[in-house]
Amino acid sequence: MNESDFTQEEEQLIERTFQELLNDYAHTIHRQKVEIITRAFRFAHMAHRGVRRLSGEPYIMHPLAVARIVVKEIGLGSTSICAALLHDVVEDTEFTVEDIASRFNPKIAQIVDGLTKISGGKFGNQSEKQAVNTRKLLLTMSEDVRVVLIKIADRLHNMRTLAAQPVDKQHKIASETQFIYAPLAHRLGLFPIKDELEDLSFRYLLPDVYNEIDSKLSALKDSQMENFKRFVEPIRKKIDHLGYEYTISARLKTVYSIWEKMQKKNIPFEDVYDLLAVRIVFKPNDSMAEKDQCWMIYSAITTLYRPHPERIRDWISTPKANGYEALHVTVMSPFGQWIEIQIRTERMHDLAERGLAAHWKYKAGDTGDVIEESELDQWLKDVKEVLEHPDSDAMTFLDTFKLNLFADEIFAFTPKGDFRTLPQGASVLDFAYQLHTELGEHCIGAKVNHKVVSVSYLIQSGDQVEVLTSESQKPEPEWLNIVVTAKAKKALRMYFNRTDVNGKPRNLTAYPVTIVVRGKDTFGVLIRILNIVSNQMHLFLHSLHTETMDDLFECKMQMSVYDEATVSVLCRELSKIKELTDVERIDNK
Ligand code: MN
């Protein structure tokens, strides 16, 4: 096979797209390394020759599109552009990482290698939890953030072209995007990409809901734009008067963010009031600090419209951990609608659009790729630092993704900044036991974010928890209903086995052990009789939120293993799962 497998028109399209990529690149401040980019393109084109995507277009159009996202929407330089052009070569063709290293350079090869590892089976394994995948992604990221940035660009293009995939794959790819890539893009400060990823995955995950909201939104578009014009008219006059060069744009909420709001507040579409946001991007002058100039514009606006006292967000004095800077204010419009206004300088805007990757641009001037390396490396060091030694800043760092990323896990911090991972629903007691059994047994409550709470308080992700203890405190039987972690349950069970109701030591009988053995035996027999296969067992344990049989009897059942009624309920559950999955097995044949 050779390149002539494509028609002449297709070859022209490929060439034209490549020229567009070079054109995008020419408009950046990077040192112009056109030669190596051209070689990377020729090599990738040759390596993917004759291959087509599901949509029918030549495969090389995909790496070209990813490279364009990398330069235009993320703002990376030649090393990343080359890696993007080559990102599928090792996975999909006969060429190896060594081939890339010898033809280009070790850095490009290393990034391509990282990308190949992420997309391979290593992360695709269905049985692995998404949170685990995410952690791996984060680890890869701390090796070289460009791997993740290019991966996000790759995913964005795949989402834009998802219609060509079969429906079941659409679903899988969309949900992975929703749970991993959108939150990551958010955390890296790539807000427009995050919005687009969320909207696109939502469209495939819940097409009916998406279409309904989308059509309602479209119907309102004209009137919202009318409102916008009326609303900004006087603002323009004020800023003109201040003498700034600026743009004011309207932003309609995305379909996904509308839906999110409807869910969170449990309201219908009609009650989502902040559909419209206004963004002011201006060129500051040298006479004053950027921050002061933002506040001047704020002041001009709030003499026109009344600000909402609780909705002023100063991300300039304290930028978000993902680099976001802006001044947000919500004001009452003349037509009785609250409207959020974001005030940003051009620099802040660029940061918000292209994330931290744009940071170096303002520090580096025009020296190009050399600085790209060192600045990104520095940033990576910071990320690593935070991942390894979370302190109070780490909380803001985690803040932007905590709710999305680890749906079934939460993080909490000790006053010293150590952090612990806990399952959703964990209480202060769980946290105390997690730190030390001794702390758990004497726990009387905690200070969560400096506020005193009881032992049963449910910890939220990002909470700072200082466990409070008292020498005279001892475990109470009802604690068994409070704790959810295996460690705490086990410790409590052991405590009650070695003490009587008054907390006094007692003579241990062999009976708890027998009970566990008996429960397990009953199950062992049942498993054999029913011919339960391992994935059915897995489903069963999963439905009870445990991993192993031991866990089940040690922790979940607490003291009640001997309770025949409970055992029979479990037996029924197990039979039910067996019945259901057996049917599936037959269907699949
Ligand atoms: Mn790809």
Side-chain angles (χ1 to χ4, degrees):
M1 275 198 277
N2 57 42
E3 287 172 22
S4 62
D5 288 337
F6 299 136
T7 65
Q8 207 180 340
E9 286 84 64
E10 283 172 333
E11 285 296 345
Q12 281 165 357
L13 173 70
I14 293 168
E15 204 54 44
R16 212 165 48 239
T17 311
F18 176 60
Q19 291 307 322
E20 278 163 3
L21 168 67
L22 287 183
N23 191 41
D24 294 338
Y25 181 57
H27 283 91
T28 66
I29 53 109
H30 292 280
R31 196 165 58 196
Q32 298 294 304
K33 292 186 181 166
V34 173
E35 190 268 337
I36 194 169
I37 294 176
T38 308
R39 273 201 295 125
F41 162 65
R42 298 279 169 232
F43 183 69
H45 190 10
M46 181 271 294
H48 296 294
R49 68 192 175 273
V51 181
R52 290 173 187 280
R53 303 190 84 204
L54 276 183
S55 62
E57 65 175 359
Y59 194 87
I60 186 68
M61 293 302 287
H62 166 63
L64 272 170
V66 175
R68 290 194 74 191
I69 294 170
V70 158
V71 60
K72 244 179 119 174
E73 298 178 49
I74 307 182
L76 298 173
S78 63
T79 303
S80 308
I81 297 173
C82 290
L85 286 167
L86 298 165
H87 83 270
D88 279 332
V89 165
V90 174
E91 200 184 345
D92 296 342
T93 78
E94 72 270 26
F95 293 99
T96 62
V97 175
E98 289 71 36
D99 291 328
I100 291 179
S102 65
R103 280 180 172 79
F104 300 95
N105 61 51
K107 192 77 226 174
I108 294 177
Q110 195 189 324
I111 296 174
V112 172
D113 190 35
L115 285 160
T116 310
K117 280 183 187 145
I118 301 180
S119 62
K122 196 175 157 196
F123 290 95
N125 189 346
Q126 274 281 12
S127 69
E128 271 179 324
K129 277 189 183 167
Q130 269 156 336
V132 177
N133 286 347
T134 312
R135 214 171 284 137
K136 283 188 189 168
L137 259 177
L138 290 177
L139 284 176
T140 317
M141 176 172 82
S142 57
E143 275 159 31
D144 191 327
V145 74
R146 283 175 294 191
V147 173
V148 175
L149 292 170
I150 298 167
K151 186 66 198 166
I152 288 173
D154 180 31
R155 178 53 60 112
L156 178 58
H157 186 246
N158 285 335
M159 286 302 295
R160 285 175 180 170
T161 52
L162 196 59
Q165 294 284 344
V167 173
D168 60 323
K169 261 202 146 171
Q170 284 178 350
H171 222 266
K172 187 178 170 280
I173 294 172
S175 69
E176 203 180 63
T177 302
Q178 183 89 326
F179 286 106
I180 298 177
Y181 291 95
L184 259 185
H186 186 196
R187 202 177 120 193
L188 292 166
L190 303 165
F191 297 108
I193 291 182
K194 172 224 165 207
D195 282 348
E196 191 178 345
L197 286 176
E198 276 176 351
D199 238 33
L200 282 168
S201 38
F202 185 48
R203 165 182 269 164
Y204 288 98
L205 290 172
L206 292 172
D208 295 344
V209 186
Y210 181 93
N211 291 331
E212 193 188 325
I213 297 175
D214 189 44
S215 62
K216 282 183 179 169
L217 188 62
S218 308
L220 278 175
K221 210 167 180 173
D222 289 347
S223 70
Q224 290 289 330
M225 289 318 278
E226 265 317 302
N227 284 352
F228 167 72
K229 274 187 209 142
R230 258 175 65 201
F231 176 72
V232 299
E233 181 67 33
I235 296 180
R236 283 185 194 283
K237 278 194 188 125
K238 286 273 185 192
I239 306 180
D240 284 339
H241 189 70
L242 292 170
Y244 284 115
E245 238 179 81
Y246 65 94
T247 54
I248 297 187
S249 53
R251 286 191 71 241
L252 275 185
K253 251 189 160 36
T254 61
V255 172
Y256 177 75
S257 63
I258 292 172
W259 181 77
E260 216 182 10
K261 190 141 214 176
M262 289 163 61
Q263 296 299 305
K264 214 183 275 169
K265 301 207 158 174
N266 197 19
I267 50 176
F269 175 89
E270 289 67 27
D271 291 353
V272 179
Y273 61 86
D274 51 353
L275 292 177
L276 182 70
V278 171
R279 181 176 293 159
I280 301 173
V281 178
F282 73 102
K283 201 185 195 127
N285 56 47
D286 297 334
S287 66
M288 230 190 286
E290 274 187 331
K291 179 181 165 181
D292 296 336
Q293 299 182 58
C294 292
W295 283 105
M296 264 172 64
I297 293 177
Y298 166 88
S299 163
I301 293 168
T302 50
T303 53
L304 293 166
Y305 301 120
R306 186 164 59 85
H308 192 303
E310 278 158 29
R311 293 216 210 104
I312 298 166
R313 298 281 177 271
D314 177 5
W315 301 116
I316 299 176
S317 306
T318 347
K320 286 194 191 178
N322 56 20
Y324 185 77
E325 292 174 57
L327 187 58
H328 291 190
V329 55
T330 300
V331 299
M332 179 51 83
S333 66
F335 30 89
Q337 180 185 358
W338 288 109
I339 293 182
E340 183 185 88
I341 305 178
Q342 306 171 350
I343 306 168
R344 301 171 177 174
T345 63
E346 283 176 349
R347 180 191 63 82
M348 294 169 188
H349 180 62
D350 217 20
L351 272 184
E353 294 289 299
R354 307 199 305 185
L356 275 177
H359 239 327
W360 53 266
K361 178 178 162 183
Y362 293 94
K363 292 185 183 167
D366 54 8
T367 37
D369 265 357
V370 188
I371 302 295
E372 175 192 1
E373 302 285 338
S374 64
E375 283 291 315
L376 270 178
D377 284 351
Q378 184 52 51
W379 184 67
L380 275 175
K381 256 187 221 149
D382 295 347
V383 170
K384 235 180 187 162
E385 180 79 24
V386 175
L387 284 175
E388 283 163 12
H389 308 286
D391 50 23
S392 58
D393 281 344
M395 278 193 253
T396 20
F397 183 84
L398 290 169
D399 188 50
T400 49
F401 76 111
K402 67 182 185 196
L403 289 174
N404 297 327
L405 273 195
F406 301 100
D408 47 10
E409 270 182 19
I410 55 176
F411 293 99
F413 296 84
T414 68
K416 283 186 185 154
D418 290 335
F419 85 93
R420 291 283 184 280
T421 320
L422 294 157
Q424 196 75 253
S427 62
V428 160
L429 267 183
D430 286 296
F431 186 78
Y433 272 103
Q434 194 80 17
L435 294 177
H436 201 281
T437 306
E438 195 70 1
L439 273 182
E441 289 181 349
H442 294 288
C443 181
I444 52 168
K447 276 190 194 166
V448 169
N449 306 325
H450 308 294
K451 245 179 67 196
V452 176
V453 298
S454 73
V455 290
S456 61
Y457 177 86
L458 296 186
I459 292 174
Q460 306 292 306
S461 221
D463 276 351
Q464 189 195 47
V465 184
E466 183 186 345
V467 175
L468 303 174
T469 57
S470 152
E471 262 312 301
S472 57
Q473 175 74 318
K474 56 182 195 293
E476 319 252 350
E478 64 261 32
W479 284 11
L480 279 165
N481 300 322
I482 296 173
V483 297
V484 296
T485 53
K487 187 170 180 188
K489 291 205 169 186
K490 199 170 187 171
L492 281 171
R493 222 170 48 83
M494 280 171 66
Y495 175 86
F496 290 122
N497 281 344
R498 64 180 141 82
T499 54
D500 61 19
V501 278
N502 301 312
K504 296 266 158 50
R506 73 173 177 205
N507 263 339
L508 270 184
T509 64
Y511 108 89
V513 180
T514 341
I515 287 159
V516 172
V517 171
R518 207 160 74 200
K520 257 169 139 178
D521 281 349
T522 315
F523 266 84
V525 171
L526 190 73
I527 287 162
R528 275 198 299 280
I529 292 175
L530 290 178
N531 182 25
I532 301 288
V533 291
S534 73
N535 71 332
Q536 291 173 327
M537 198 58 210
H538 182 78
L539 276 173
F540 169 68
L541 290 170
H542 190 75
S543 73
L544 296 163
H545 306 286
T546 58
E547 304 257 349
T548 64
M549 282 281 276
D550 282 340
D551 274 359
L552 178 67
F553 288 102
E554 301 274 328
C555 312
K556 287 288 166 185
M557 304 308 301
Q558 300 155 18
M559 309 288 285
S560 57
V561 187
Y562 57 92
D563 170 2
E564 294 293 335
T566 315
V567 172
S568 79
V569 168
L570 287 176
C571 290
R572 264 212 310 280
E573 273 311 307
L574 186 57
S575 322
K576 226 179 351 193
I577 283 173
K578 157 137 182 103
E579 239 170 73
L580 283 170
T581 46
D582 271 348
V583 172
E584 259 176 48
R585 274 199 292 175
I586 293 160
D587 282 348
N588 286 340
K589 271 178 192 163

